[in-house]
């Protein structure tokens, strides 16, 4: 049985690499992809990725020092 690579789609919106550039995330021994539009979600509100990114509920938002 061969491991099939995960599709290259944004974990937040499903956009593929034909529609938008994607940024690869290596997390928990797996590869995930996110588009530039949703990178701020990962940084500032990772709880919104619960259900699409395993362990997202444990991620803390970035501290703001404005």
């Amino acid at each position: 049985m061969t491991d099939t690579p995960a599709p290259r789609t944004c974990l937040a919106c499903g956009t593929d690499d034909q529609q938008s550039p994607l940024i690869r995330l290596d997390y928990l021994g797996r590869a995930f992809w996110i588009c530039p539009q949703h990178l701020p979600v990962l940084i500032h509100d990772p709880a919104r990725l619960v259900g699409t990114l395993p362990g997202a509920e444990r991620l803390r938002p970035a501290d703001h020092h404005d």
Side-chain angles (χ1 to χ4, degrees), residues 6-11 22-34 52-54:
R8 291 183 180 190
T9 58
C10 175
L11 58 92
L22 296 176
I23 301 162
R24 180 182 165 137
L25 307 171
D26 291 316
Y27 181 58
L28 299 175
R30 294 176 49 200
F32 298 91
W33 302 88
I34 195 161
T52 59
L53 181 65

Side-chain angles (χ1 to χ4, degrees), residues 12-60:
C13 68
T15 297
D16 67 21
D17 61 356
Q18 298 299 307
Q19 300 168 304
S20 175
L22 296 176
I23 301 162
R24 180 182 165 137
L25 307 171
D26 291 316
Y27 181 58
L28 299 175
R30 294 176 49 200
F32 298 91
W33 302 88
I34 195 161
C35 71
Q37 180 180 349
H38 288 101
L39 186 58
V41 173
L42 177 65
I43 296 168
H44 300 291
D45 194 6
R48 287 179 46 194
L49 299 174
V50 169
T52 59
L53 181 65
E57 64 278 358
R58 296 188 309 265
L59 298 176
R60 292 182 357 163

